[in-house]
Every structure is written in C-alpha cells, then in structure tokens.
Amino acid sequence: MKKYLVIGNPIEHSLSPKLHNYWLNKNQVDGNYVKKLLTEEKVGEFLKLNQNISGINVTVPFKKTVLNYCTELTELASISQSVNTIIFSNEKIIGDNTDIYGFEQSLKDLNFDGSNKTAYILGAGGVVSSVVIALNKLGVKKIVISNRTKNKAEALAKEYNLVVSDWGKIVDFDIVINCTSIGLEQGESLGLNFSKVKDKIFYDIIYKPKTKFLIDAEGLGNKIIDGKMMFLYQAQKSFEVWHGIKPEINKEVINLLND
Ligand code: ATR
C-alpha cells in the first residue's frame, strides 16, 4: 500500500486526509493518506529519511521550507517559490505547486475574465505568489498588494511587478482577495473599511469558518467566494499528479468539507 501524507504546523484541522482517503477509496487506489505534525527543524530530515512515502502535501508554514530539500522543482513551483505537493520518484524529491491551479480553476468556474480587471491582494504570506501567478494566467490587468508589514509587500511587488498600497487604504478594484490569516478564528476582523464597496468580488482563501470579511461584503451586495473550491482543486490536481486519475468533485465531495 502506497503512503501519502500532509505535513504542516498546526495540522490537526487539515481536511486533506479525509478528502484524499475518500478519493483513494472511490478510485480503488491501494493507498493511505495521513497527517503529520512537524517542526521547522525536522522537515529536512523527514523528507530525506522517508523514502517509502510516495507523495506529500505541504501546508502552512512549510511551503517555502521544503524548497531546500527538493531535488527538482516543476516550473510552477520554481516561479512561485512555493511547494504544496511533493512527488517521490526513484531517488528524486520533486516539488510541485497545485495551489496556482486551484485558485485559477476556482475563478474559471465562475467565468471570471481578467482582462481590464484590477485585483487587490491583502497580505504577503506564503499563498500570495500562487495567487499572483494564477491572476496573471487569468489575464488580470493590474495587481495591487497591501500588507500590514509593508516591506513584505514591496518584496513581492518587485518580484512579480505589482503595485503596493498602504495598509488601511482602500484602492479601486474589481476583485479583492484576503490572503492574510485574519478570519481563521471566528469573527476576527481585518479592520479595513469596505463599506462603500458594492458589486465587486470578495474572495477569501480561508474556507472555514465563513469569515467576517465575506459576511460583511455579502451584506453590502458584493459577490463572495470562499477558499473551498481552491482547496478542492489543489487536492484534485495533487491526486492526479500522484495517481494519474482526475478524481471527481461533486456534491458528496463538497459535503465532506462541511461535516
Ligand atoms: P504564511 O504561512 O501564509 O506565509 P504568514 O507569512 O504568517 O503566513 O502570513 C500571514 C499574513 O497575514 C501576513 O500577510 C500577515 O501580515 P504581516 O506580514 O504584517 O505579519 C497577515 N496578518 C496576520 N495577522 C494580521 C493582523 N492582525 N492584521 C493584518 N494582517 C495580519
């Protein structure tokens, strides 16, 4: 039986094992998927020693850490400098990125057309490079980034050709994406004033619980998108990379995340 797992810290609440084991079962693949809590110092050792593992998903905060231990990177992992999927193949440790696909596909589903659109990114953490690359693939005209710690936004802006805006200032946008960790705890507020914004798209990478960012935006008449489909699509792509099968995303699968 092939072994798969997700590493992160914290990892207790990860829904990846539930999802992947469901798909392994449905597709009659002889494999098992578990979660593994690691500390930063242990990541390298773990990757080098565990050669009987066939694949690993990587979540917060190790998506950059693992770059150091991969022997190869796919093009998407390399341009994003972010790895969420590892493939063990012979002696190779191949780092891949399926978050880009996840974010891109979630918007394609909604027929989002990026041309002439301005995207406004909140935050400068690990997920932002994937979001930026996906937005570029969708043809977005302009990307503005704002982060509490401005120099982190400036570094990303330099790398990916973004415009930096001061934290707290609301710029004109067609779609705003919360890439901060604010909202993971129920009721947490970004403290930004979007009260004059309506008929725009508010996207939150967080999918559980429903964030105040989305609840407020919906109340003002905006379209809201949570991180559920991004999560499902990145998992679907990882599954396909590992097993050569594209598992189905249907109501039953979506409900797995709601239980
Ligand atoms: P990741 O593991 O995704 O890289 P991270 O680097 O901790 O996570 O990023 C979390 C993001 O949430 C950052 O953009 C962070 O802003 P800072 O760079 O200023 O730390 C943002 N964030 C966290 N708490 C915040 C708060 N109370 N107000 C505003 N932004 C916050």
PDB file of all heavy atoms in Angstrom, residues 122 148 167 178-192 194 204 206 208-217:
ATOM      1  N   LEU A 122      -4.720  41.328  -0.265  1.00  0.00           N
ATOM      2  CA  LEU A 122      -4.455  41.685   1.129  1.00  0.00           C
ATOM      3  C   LEU A 122      -3.558  40.617   1.735  1.00  0.00           C
ATOM      4  O   LEU A 122      -3.923  39.436   1.739  1.00  0.00           O
ATOM      5  CB  LEU A 122      -5.766  41.766   1.916  1.00  0.00           C
ATOM      6  CG  LEU A 122      -6.838  42.703   1.342  1.00  0.00           C
ATOM      7  CD1 LEU A 122      -8.149  42.552   2.120  1.00  0.00           C
ATOM      8  CD2 LEU A 122      -6.345  44.148   1.372  1.00  0.00           C
ATOM      9  N   ARG A 148       0.149  44.618   6.138  1.00  0.00           N
ATOM     10  CA  ARG A 148       0.440  45.348   7.376  1.00  0.00           C
ATOM     11  C   ARG A 148       1.934  45.688   7.455  1.00  0.00           C
ATOM     12  O   ARG A 148       2.305  46.808   7.757  1.00  0.00           O
ATOM     13  CB  ARG A 148      -0.002  44.472   8.567  1.00  0.00           C
ATOM     14  CG  ARG A 148       0.271  45.068   9.908  1.00  0.00           C
ATOM     15  CD  ARG A 148      -0.188  44.136  10.991  1.00  0.00           C
ATOM     16  NE  ARG A 148       0.532  42.850  10.965  1.00  0.00           N
ATOM     17  CZ  ARG A 148       0.400  41.906  11.869  1.00  0.00           C
ATOM     18  NH1 ARG A 148      -0.448  42.073  12.876  1.00  0.00           N
ATOM     19  NH2 ARG A 148       1.078  40.788  11.791  1.00  0.00           N
ATOM     20  N   TRP A 167      -1.349  49.805   3.893  1.00  0.00           N
ATOM     21  CA  TRP A 167      -2.339  49.041   4.649  1.00  0.00           C
ATOM     22  C   TRP A 167      -3.372  50.025   5.222  1.00  0.00           C
ATOM     23  O   TRP A 167      -3.007  51.048   5.802  1.00  0.00           O
ATOM     24  CB  TRP A 167      -1.649  48.262   5.771  1.00  0.00           C
ATOM     25  CG  TRP A 167      -2.580  47.374   6.542  1.00  0.00           C
ATOM     26  CD1 TRP A 167      -3.022  47.569   7.822  1.00  0.00           C
ATOM     27  CD2 TRP A 167      -3.172  46.152   6.087  1.00  0.00           C
ATOM     28  NE1 TRP A 167      -3.855  46.547   8.190  1.00  0.00           N
ATOM     29  CE2 TRP A 167      -3.973  45.659   7.146  1.00  0.00           C
ATOM     30  CE3 TRP A 167      -3.129  45.432   4.889  1.00  0.00           C
ATOM     31  CZ2 TRP A 167      -4.702  44.478   7.035  1.00  0.00           C
ATOM     32  CZ3 TRP A 167      -3.854  44.253   4.785  1.00  0.00           C
ATOM     33  CH2 TRP A 167      -4.621  43.793   5.848  1.00  0.00           C
ATOM     34  N   ASN A 178      -8.517  38.140   0.209  1.00  0.00           N
ATOM     35  CA  ASN A 178      -7.892  38.096   1.524  1.00  0.00           C
ATOM     36  C   ASN A 178      -6.921  36.926   1.595  1.00  0.00           C
ATOM     37  O   ASN A 178      -7.336  35.764   1.635  1.00  0.00           O
ATOM     38  CB  ASN A 178      -8.941  37.960   2.633  1.00  0.00           C
ATOM     39  CG  ASN A 178      -8.286  37.843   4.002  1.00  0.00           C
ATOM     40  OD1 ASN A 178      -7.209  38.414   4.225  1.00  0.00           O
ATOM     41  ND2 ASN A 178      -8.904  37.102   4.908  1.00  0.00           N
ATOM     42  N   CYS A 179      -5.638  37.238   1.614  1.00  0.00           N
ATOM     43  CA  CYS A 179      -4.606  36.201   1.736  1.00  0.00           C
ATOM     44  C   CYS A 179      -3.947  36.267   3.110  1.00  0.00           C
ATOM     45  O   CYS A 179      -2.899  35.653   3.326  1.00  0.00           O
ATOM     46  CB  CYS A 179      -3.551  36.388   0.657  1.00  0.00           C
ATOM     47  SG  CYS A 179      -4.166  36.193  -1.011  1.00  0.00           S
ATOM     48  N   THR A 180      -4.532  37.028   4.032  1.00  0.00           N
ATOM     49  CA  THR A 180      -3.989  37.058   5.396  1.00  0.00           C
ATOM     50  C   THR A 180      -4.582  35.890   6.187  1.00  0.00           C
ATOM     51  O   THR A 180      -5.490  35.190   5.719  1.00  0.00           O
ATOM     52  CB  THR A 180      -4.330  38.370   6.133  1.00  0.00           C
ATOM     53  OG1 THR A 180      -5.704  38.332   6.532  1.00  0.00           O
ATOM     54  CG2 THR A 180      -4.070  39.601   5.286  1.00  0.00           C
ATOM     55  N   SER A 181      -4.094  35.715   7.395  1.00  0.00           N
ATOM     56  CA  SER A 181      -4.629  34.657   8.254  1.00  0.00           C
ATOM     57  C   SER A 181      -5.793  35.165   9.110  1.00  0.00           C
ATOM     58  O   SER A 181      -6.337  34.417   9.919  1.00  0.00           O
ATOM     59  CB  SER A 181      -3.505  34.118   9.140  1.00  0.00           C
ATOM     60  OG  SER A 181      -2.780  35.194   9.703  1.00  0.00           O
ATOM     61  N   ILE A 182      -6.179  36.430   8.888  1.00  0.00           N
ATOM     62  CA  ILE A 182      -7.273  37.009   9.676  1.00  0.00           C
ATOM     63  C   ILE A 182      -8.615  36.433   9.235  1.00  0.00           C
ATOM     64  O   ILE A 182      -9.017  36.588   8.069  1.00  0.00           O
ATOM     65  CB  ILE A 182      -7.300  38.560   9.532  1.00  0.00           C
ATOM     66  CG1 ILE A 182      -6.006  39.150  10.030  1.00  0.00           C
ATOM     67  CG2 ILE A 182      -8.483  39.154  10.278  1.00  0.00           C
ATOM     68  CD1 ILE A 182      -5.765  38.977  11.497  1.00  0.00           C
ATOM     69  N   GLY A 183      -9.312  35.797  10.173  1.00  0.00           N
ATOM     70  CA  GLY A 183     -10.588  35.171   9.866  1.00  0.00           C
ATOM     71  C   GLY A 183     -10.568  33.683  10.159  1.00  0.00           C
ATOM     72  O   GLY A 183     -11.608  33.031  10.217  1.00  0.00           O
ATOM     73  N   LEU A 184      -9.359  33.151  10.364  1.00  0.00           N
ATOM     74  CA  LEU A 184      -9.266  31.735  10.736  1.00  0.00           C
ATOM     75  C   LEU A 184      -9.944  31.500  12.082  1.00  0.00           C
ATOM     76  O   LEU A 184     -10.549  30.464  12.322  1.00  0.00           O
ATOM     77  CB  LEU A 184      -7.792  31.300  10.821  1.00  0.00           C
ATOM     78  CG  LEU A 184      -7.117  30.971   9.493  1.00  0.00           C
ATOM     79  CD1 LEU A 184      -5.622  30.826   9.666  1.00  0.00           C
ATOM     80  CD2 LEU A 184      -7.702  29.702   8.876  1.00  0.00           C
ATOM     81  N   GLU A 185      -9.831  32.524  12.954  1.00  0.00           N
ATOM     82  CA  GLU A 185     -10.565  32.488  14.224  1.00  0.00           C
ATOM     83  C   GLU A 185     -11.887  33.204  13.982  1.00  0.00           C
ATOM     84  O   GLU A 185     -11.890  34.322  13.455  1.00  0.00           O
ATOM     85  CB  GLU A 185      -9.787  33.232  15.322  1.00  0.00           C
ATOM     86  CG  GLU A 185      -8.407  32.689  15.618  1.00  0.00           C
ATOM     87  CD  GLU A 185      -8.438  31.353  16.340  1.00  0.00           C
ATOM     88  OE1 GLU A 185      -9.457  31.069  17.018  1.00  0.00           O
ATOM     89  OE2 GLU A 185      -7.467  30.598  16.204  1.00  0.00           O
ATOM     90  N   GLN A 186     -12.968  32.549  14.377  1.00  0.00           N
ATOM     91  CA  GLN A 186     -14.320  33.083  14.156  1.00  0.00           C
ATOM     92  C   GLN A 186     -14.442  34.564  14.560  1.00  0.00           C
ATOM     93  O   GLN A 186     -14.038  34.939  15.664  1.00  0.00           O
ATOM     94  CB  GLN A 186     -15.311  32.265  14.986  1.00  0.00           C
ATOM     95  CG  GLN A 186     -16.753  32.572  14.710  1.00  0.00           C
ATOM     96  CD  GLN A 186     -17.368  31.491  13.826  1.00  0.00           C
ATOM     97  OE1 GLN A 186     -17.084  30.313  13.979  1.00  0.00           O
ATOM     98  NE2 GLN A 186     -18.205  31.908  12.897  1.00  0.00           N
ATOM     99  N   GLY A 187     -14.959  35.373  13.643  1.00  0.00           N
ATOM    100  CA  GLY A 187     -15.264  36.770  13.970  1.00  0.00           C
ATOM    101  C   GLY A 187     -14.106  37.739  13.853  1.00  0.00           C
ATOM    102  O   GLY A 187     -14.293  38.949  13.946  1.00  0.00           O
ATOM    103  N   GLU A 188     -12.893  37.238  13.633  1.00  0.00           N
ATOM    104  CA  GLU A 188     -11.716  38.112  13.511  1.00  0.00           C
ATOM    105  C   GLU A 188     -11.902  39.110  12.382  1.00  0.00           C
ATOM    106  O   GLU A 188     -12.380  38.741  11.299  1.00  0.00           O
ATOM    107  CB  GLU A 188     -10.481  37.273  13.152  1.00  0.00           C
ATOM    108  CG  GLU A 188      -9.578  36.976  14.303  1.00  0.00           C
ATOM    109  CD  GLU A 188      -8.357  36.183  13.829  1.00  0.00           C
ATOM    110  OE1 GLU A 188      -8.449  35.454  12.830  1.00  0.00           O
ATOM    111  OE2 GLU A 188      -7.328  36.288  14.491  1.00  0.00           O
ATOM    112  N   SER A 189     -11.479  40.359  12.628  1.00  0.00           N
ATOM    113  CA  SER A 189     -11.694  41.397  11.625  1.00  0.00           C
ATOM    114  C   SER A 189     -10.384  41.974  11.112  1.00  0.00           C
ATOM    115  O   SER A 189      -9.456  42.222  11.883  1.00  0.00           O
ATOM    116  CB  SER A 189     -12.540  42.509  12.246  1.00  0.00           C
ATOM    117  OG  SER A 189     -12.617  43.588  11.349  1.00  0.00           O
ATOM    118  N   LEU A 190     -10.332  42.225   9.819  1.00  0.00           N
ATOM    119  CA  LEU A 190      -9.156  42.854   9.205  1.00  0.00           C
ATOM    120  C   LEU A 190      -9.051  44.310   9.605  1.00  0.00           C
ATOM    121  O   LEU A 190      -7.987  44.921   9.514  1.00  0.00           O
ATOM    122  CB  LEU A 190      -9.271  42.786   7.673  1.00  0.00           C
ATOM    123  CG  LEU A 190      -8.909  41.475   6.998  1.00  0.00           C
ATOM    124  CD1 LEU A 190      -9.501  41.427   5.602  1.00  0.00           C
ATOM    125  CD2 LEU A 190      -7.399  41.323   6.924  1.00  0.00           C
ATOM    126  N   GLY A 191     -10.173  44.885  10.008  1.00  0.00           N
ATOM    127  CA  GLY A 191     -10.192  46.288  10.409  1.00  0.00           C
ATOM    128  C   GLY A 191     -10.097  47.232   9.220  1.00  0.00           C
ATOM    129  O   GLY A 191      -9.686  48.386   9.376  1.00  0.00           O
ATOM    130  N   LEU A 192     -10.455  46.756   8.032  1.00  0.00           N
ATOM    131  CA  LEU A 192     -10.438  47.618   6.843  1.00  0.00           C
ATOM    132  C   LEU A 192     -11.873  48.045   6.533  1.00  0.00           C
ATOM    133  O   LEU A 192     -12.815  47.282   6.759  1.00  0.00           O
ATOM    134  CB  LEU A 192      -9.844  46.870   5.646  1.00  0.00           C
ATOM    135  CG  LEU A 192      -8.413  46.352   5.827  1.00  0.00           C
ATOM    136  CD1 LEU A 192      -7.975  45.566   4.602  1.00  0.00           C
ATOM    137  CD2 LEU A 192      -7.444  47.497   6.100  1.00  0.00           C
ATOM    138  N   PHE A 194     -14.563  48.618   4.017  1.00  0.00           N
ATOM    139  CA  PHE A 194     -15.063  48.397   2.653  1.00  0.00           C
ATOM    140  C   PHE A 194     -16.508  48.853   2.515  1.00  0.00           C
ATOM    141  O   PHE A 194     -17.203  48.439   1.582  1.00  0.00           O
ATOM    142  CB  PHE A 194     -14.957  46.903   2.295  1.00  0.00           C
ATOM    143  CG  PHE A 194     -13.549  46.420   2.073  1.00  0.00           C
ATOM    144  CD1 PHE A 194     -12.896  45.659   3.035  1.00  0.00           C
ATOM    145  CD2 PHE A 194     -12.886  46.723   0.890  1.00  0.00           C
ATOM    146  CE1 PHE A 194     -11.600  45.208   2.828  1.00  0.00           C
ATOM    147  CE2 PHE A 194     -11.586  46.279   0.671  1.00  0.00           C
ATOM    148  CZ  PHE A 194     -10.944  45.521   1.633  1.00  0.00           C
ATOM    149  N   ASP A 204     -12.013  35.023  -0.299  1.00  0.00           N
ATOM    150  CA  ASP A 204     -11.212  34.720   0.887  1.00  0.00           C
ATOM    151  C   ASP A 204     -10.603  33.336   0.723  1.00  0.00           C
ATOM    152  O   ASP A 204     -11.317  32.365   0.463  1.00  0.00           O
ATOM    153  CB  ASP A 204     -12.083  34.771   2.157  1.00  0.00           C
ATOM    154  CG  ASP A 204     -11.248  35.051   3.396  1.00  0.00           C
ATOM    155  OD1 ASP A 204     -10.140  34.479   3.494  1.00  0.00           O
ATOM    156  OD2 ASP A 204     -11.696  35.830   4.245  1.00  0.00           O
ATOM    157  N   ILE A 206      -9.450  31.589   2.979  1.00  0.00           N
ATOM    158  CA  ILE A 206      -9.933  30.782   4.115  1.00  0.00           C
ATOM    159  C   ILE A 206     -11.298  30.190   3.755  1.00  0.00           C
ATOM    160  O   ILE A 206     -12.127  30.876   3.166  1.00  0.00           O
ATOM    161  CB  ILE A 206     -10.051  31.673   5.379  1.00  0.00           C
ATOM    162  CG1 ILE A 206      -8.667  32.189   5.788  1.00  0.00           C
ATOM    163  CG2 ILE A 206     -10.741  30.919   6.529  1.00  0.00           C
ATOM    164  CD1 ILE A 206      -8.697  33.286   6.843  1.00  0.00           C
ATOM    165  N   LYS A 208     -13.040  27.993   6.119  1.00  0.00           N
ATOM    166  CA  LYS A 208     -13.759  27.625   7.329  1.00  0.00           C
ATOM    167  C   LYS A 208     -13.151  28.338   8.518  1.00  0.00           C
ATOM    168  O   LYS A 208     -11.936  28.228   8.686  1.00  0.00           O
ATOM    169  CB  LYS A 208     -13.669  26.111   7.545  1.00  0.00           C
ATOM    170  CG  LYS A 208     -14.938  25.469   8.026  1.00  0.00           C
ATOM    171  CD  LYS A 208     -14.706  23.969   8.131  1.00  0.00           C
ATOM    172  CE  LYS A 208     -15.995  23.275   8.550  1.00  0.00           C
ATOM    173  NZ  LYS A 208     -15.827  21.845   8.623  1.00  0.00           N
ATOM    174  N   PRO A 209     -13.881  29.071   9.305  1.00  0.00           N
ATOM    175  CA  PRO A 209     -15.316  29.375   9.177  1.00  0.00           C
ATOM    176  C   PRO A 209     -15.537  30.458   8.134  1.00  0.00           C
ATOM    177  O   PRO A 209     -14.560  31.014   7.611  1.00  0.00           O
ATOM    178  CB  PRO A 209     -15.647  29.905  10.570  1.00  0.00           C
ATOM    179  CG  PRO A 209     -14.379  30.561  11.025  1.00  0.00           C
ATOM    180  CD  PRO A 209     -13.261  29.749  10.451  1.00  0.00           C
ATOM    181  N   LYS A 210     -16.814  30.745   7.820  1.00  0.00           N
ATOM    182  CA  LYS A 210     -17.117  31.854   6.910  1.00  0.00           C
ATOM    183  C   LYS A 210     -16.617  33.129   7.578  1.00  0.00           C
ATOM    184  O   LYS A 210     -16.992  33.436   8.713  1.00  0.00           O
ATOM    185  CB  LYS A 210     -18.621  31.922   6.653  1.00  0.00           C
ATOM    186  CG  LYS A 210     -19.001  32.933   5.580  1.00  0.00           C
ATOM    187  CD  LYS A 210     -20.484  32.783   5.235  1.00  0.00           C
ATOM    188  CE  LYS A 210     -20.905  33.793   4.190  1.00  0.00           C
ATOM    189  NZ  LYS A 210     -22.333  33.643   3.840  1.00  0.00           N
ATOM    190  N   THR A 211     -15.763  33.875   6.891  1.00  0.00           N
ATOM    191  CA  THR A 211     -15.077  34.998   7.546  1.00  0.00           C
ATOM    192  C   THR A 211     -15.960  36.254   7.594  1.00  0.00           C
ATOM    193  O   THR A 211     -16.841  36.444   6.762  1.00  0.00           O
ATOM    194  CB  THR A 211     -13.769  35.339   6.805  1.00  0.00           C
ATOM    195  OG1 THR A 211     -14.084  35.668   5.454  1.00  0.00           O
ATOM    196  CG2 THR A 211     -12.788  34.183   6.833  1.00  0.00           C
ATOM    197  N   LYS A 212     -15.650  37.114   8.549  1.00  0.00           N
ATOM    198  CA  LYS A 212     -16.341  38.396   8.683  1.00  0.00           C
ATOM    199  C   LYS A 212     -16.144  39.221   7.409  1.00  0.00           C
ATOM    200  O   LYS A 212     -17.038  39.932   6.965  1.00  0.00           O
ATOM    201  CB  LYS A 212     -15.790  39.132   9.918  1.00  0.00           C
ATOM    202  CG  LYS A 212     -16.547  40.385  10.281  1.00  0.00           C
ATOM    203  CD  LYS A 212     -16.095  40.932  11.617  1.00  0.00           C
ATOM    204  CE  LYS A 212     -16.868  42.171  12.050  1.00  0.00           C
ATOM    205  NZ  LYS A 212     -16.992  43.212  11.039  1.00  0.00           N
ATOM    206  N   PHE A 213     -14.958  39.094   6.815  1.00  0.00           N
ATOM    207  CA  PHE A 213     -14.633  39.757   5.542  1.00  0.00           C
ATOM    208  C   PHE A 213     -15.707  39.429   4.494  1.00  0.00           C
ATOM    209  O   PHE A 213     -16.217  40.322   3.808  1.00  0.00           O
ATOM    210  CB  PHE A 213     -13.247  39.254   5.104  1.00  0.00           C
ATOM    211  CG  PHE A 213     -12.768  39.687   3.756  1.00  0.00           C
ATOM    212  CD1 PHE A 213     -12.402  41.000   3.505  1.00  0.00           C
ATOM    213  CD2 PHE A 213     -12.630  38.749   2.726  1.00  0.00           C
ATOM    214  CE1 PHE A 213     -11.922  41.384   2.257  1.00  0.00           C
ATOM    215  CE2 PHE A 213     -12.151  39.121   1.477  1.00  0.00           C
ATOM    216  CZ  PHE A 213     -11.800  40.450   1.247  1.00  0.00           C
ATOM    217  N   LEU A 214     -16.076  38.147   4.392  1.00  0.00           N
ATOM    218  CA  LEU A 214     -17.082  37.738   3.400  1.00  0.00           C
ATOM    219  C   LEU A 214     -18.502  38.059   3.859  1.00  0.00           C
ATOM    220  O   LEU A 214     -19.330  38.489   3.051  1.00  0.00           O
ATOM    221  CB  LEU A 214     -16.962  36.236   3.098  1.00  0.00           C
ATOM    222  CG  LEU A 214     -15.704  35.773   2.364  1.00  0.00           C
ATOM    223  CD1 LEU A 214     -15.823  34.302   1.970  1.00  0.00           C
ATOM    224  CD2 LEU A 214     -15.411  36.616   1.126  1.00  0.00           C
ATOM    225  N   ILE A 215     -18.765  37.861   5.122  1.00  0.00           N
ATOM    226  CA  ILE A 215     -20.123  38.127   5.637  1.00  0.00           C
ATOM    227  C   ILE A 215     -20.478  39.597   5.420  1.00  0.00           C
ATOM    228  O   ILE A 215     -21.552  39.932   4.908  1.00  0.00           O
ATOM    229  CB  ILE A 215     -20.235  37.750   7.145  1.00  0.00           C
ATOM    230  CG1 ILE A 215     -20.054  36.228   7.325  1.00  0.00           C
ATOM    231  CG2 ILE A 215     -21.579  38.212   7.734  1.00  0.00           C
ATOM    232  CD1 ILE A 215     -19.849  35.772   8.766  1.00  0.00           C
ATOM    233  N   ASP A 216     -19.557  40.495   5.774  1.00  0.00           N
ATOM    234  CA  ASP A 216     -19.794  41.936   5.614  1.00  0.00           C
ATOM    235  C   ASP A 216     -19.944  42.306   4.135  1.00  0.00           C
ATOM    236  O   ASP A 216     -20.822  43.084   3.765  1.00  0.00           O
ATOM    237  CB  ASP A 216     -18.636  42.750   6.221  1.00  0.00           C
ATOM    238  CG  ASP A 216     -18.602  42.651   7.739  1.00  0.00           C
ATOM    239  OD1 ASP A 216     -19.565  42.094   8.313  1.00  0.00           O
ATOM    240  OD2 ASP A 216     -17.611  43.123   8.344  1.00  0.00           O
ATOM    241  N   ALA A 217     -19.063  41.737   3.304  1.00  0.00           N
ATOM    242  CA  ALA A 217     -19.092  42.065   1.870  1.00  0.00           C
ATOM    243  C   ALA A 217     -20.410  41.628   1.236  1.00  0.00           C
ATOM    244  O   ALA A 217     -20.999  42.337   0.417  1.00  0.00           O
ATOM    245  CB  ALA A 217     -17.925  41.388   1.161  1.00  0.00           C
TER     246      ALA A 217
END
